[in-house]
Amino acid sequence: MDESRTLDEILRDPQGLSEAEVENIRLERLLGVTAILLSQRGHQEAATLLAEAASAERNYQDKDWGVEFYEVALDVDPNLVERFTEEVHSLILETIQEAVERETYGVSVLRIRPILPTVDANWRSHVRADGGPPASNQARRVRSDPEHPVEDRLHFTNLWEHRVYRTLKSIQATLEDNETIGIAPLAGIRVRDRVFEPDFLITYKGHAGVIEVDGPYHKGQSSSDKSRDRQLLHAGVKYVDRLDVRDVNSEAQVEKFLRDFLRMLAAQ
């Protein structure tokens, strides 16, 4: 796909793309328009959830007064399904319906469905085994994106997290073997009835802390962030801090933030 063209331009002139590819672009545009409208109106949580959808599908439902109506099915991580509450679901559906008002079709149903697991020929053995199929709790969602950064067999959501990891590694290299730090990026952790993937879980001097790396598009989520941080603290995490990449201009500033974080973690 030509990334120099907008999705609207591609849809107007597909330039040899298959029908399936055009349909995927049409759905991507619909989700993008819907998410941006939600974000502009202050519904950041709903917009972020929509952006987390791994894929979407449009299924024909009915025809009324010459207009075809479809169901839009969103495939999301199983741990995110419960966050699509009735209120969020209705808000997203209403905004999708608004987004297609200028189209030749309508959307009558929004369905949220969990991403299905990958199954191999030995699935019966996995299910019978204690603990079920082998799985990794490191960067479950990120692994489905072929463009994400990887280093030391560890996966990262974006370049900012990757750069923070490299700075953490450089700090780690300066510490004595008997006073080092553990670095766990995007490690899955269950807290009460929720599963989180903190950007970094750090262990140091008998304590565990969490660093969240907020990118330039991370805004309007203060309430959600505070609730998440509070749940982590209640679960035994000693210290939580956030690095906003908009506030740092150099690796030296990132290193200062991380060393201050370690000092606060050890002091708890």
Side-chain angles (χ1 to χ4, degrees):
M1 185 172 65
D2 184 357
E3 295 184 357
S4 66
R5 297 197 297 162
T6 67
L7 297 184
D8 289 292
E9 290 172 338
I10 294 172
L11 290 173
R12 284 195 295 269
D13 181 16
Q15 295 185 355
L17 293 177
S18 69
E19 186 176 333
E21 290 172 326
V22 171
E23 175 66 6
N24 287 336
I25 293 172
R26 183 179 291 112
L27 283 167
E28 184 70 9
R29 178 190 177 280
L30 174 60
L31 297 185
V33 169
T34 303
I36 291 171
L37 285 173
L38 287 166
S39 180
Q40 289 175 342
R41 295 166 182 175
H43 304 298
Q44 190 61 43
E45 182 177 2
T48 301
L49 282 172
L50 196 56
E52 293 289 352
S55 60
E57 186 176 271
R58 194 176 58 147
N59 302 310
Y60 176 77
Q61 293 288 295
D62 201 357
K63 193 170 186 177
D64 187 18
W65 290 88
V67 177
E68 293 182 343
F69 284 86
Y70 290 83
E71 166 201 77
V72 171
L74 298 181
D75 295 312
V76 303
D77 187 284
N79 292 295
L80 294 178
V81 172
E82 66 180 23
R83 294 178 60 184
F84 286 85
T85 62
E86 183 177 347
E87 179 183 357
V88 170
H89 183 281
S90 297
L91 184 60
I92 292 176
L93 176 57
E94 290 170 5
T95 310
I96 285 178
Q97 290 171 333
E98 179 182 348
V100 298
E101 282 183 354
R102 297 174 178 83
E103 305 294 337
T104 58
Y105 68 94
V107 175
S108 56
V109 177
L110 173 66
R111 182 156 58 100
I112 309 301
R113 59 192 189 187
I115 298 171
L116 296 178
T118 302
V119 178
D120 61 26
N122 297 317
W123 68 268
R124 287 181 172 83
S125 299
H126 296 323
V127 172
R128 293 188 190 110
D130 183 26
S136 169
N137 285 332
Q138 204 272 319
R140 293 166 295 114
R141 288 183 291 103
V142 173
R143 286 169 179 260
S144 64
D145 179 4
E147 301 300 324
H148 68 272
V150 180
E151 184 170 337
D152 299 330
R153 291 180 295 143
L154 295 171
H155 301 253
F156 305 88
T157 306
N158 51 53
L159 291 174
W160 298 293
E161 291 177 14
H162 189 204
R163 290 166 182 164
V164 170
Y165 173 70
R166 288 188 165 182
T167 307
L168 281 166
K169 276 180 62 178
S170 68
I171 293 174
Q172 188 183 56
T174 67
L175 301 173
E176 298 293 333
D177 288 346
N178 62 351
E179 202 174 80
T180 189
I181 60 174
I183 310 168
L186 299 176
I189 177 174
R190 180 174 176 81
V191 178
R192 190 95 180 178
D193 298 324
R194 300 285 298 279
V195 174
F196 295 136
E197 281 187 0
D199 292 338
F200 291 96
L201 179 67
I202 306 296
T203 56
Y204 183 50
K205 292 188 175 182
H207 300 304
V210 162
I211 298 172
E212 296 288 4
V213 181
D214 296 340
Y217 304 110
H218 186 96
K219 57 183 179 179
Q221 300 187 52
S222 176
S223 175
S224 177
D225 289 342
K226 289 178 181 178
S227 174
R228 173 191 174 105
D229 295 352
R230 186 164 54 250
Q231 290 182 62
L232 289 170
L233 293 170
H234 289 170
V237 173
K238 289 294 183 182
Y239 184 56
V240 179
D241 204 353
R242 294 181 171 275
L243 173 63
D244 191 327
V245 299
R246 293 168 296 185
D247 296 334
V248 296
N249 299 310
S250 66
E251 183 177 352
Q253 289 178 311
V254 174
E255 181 175 349
K256 181 180 185 306
F257 169 89
L258 295 174
R259 289 192 180 278
D260 287 345
F261 172 86
L262 293 175
R263 184 168 59 253
M264 293 295 295
L265 180 59
Q268 296 296 306

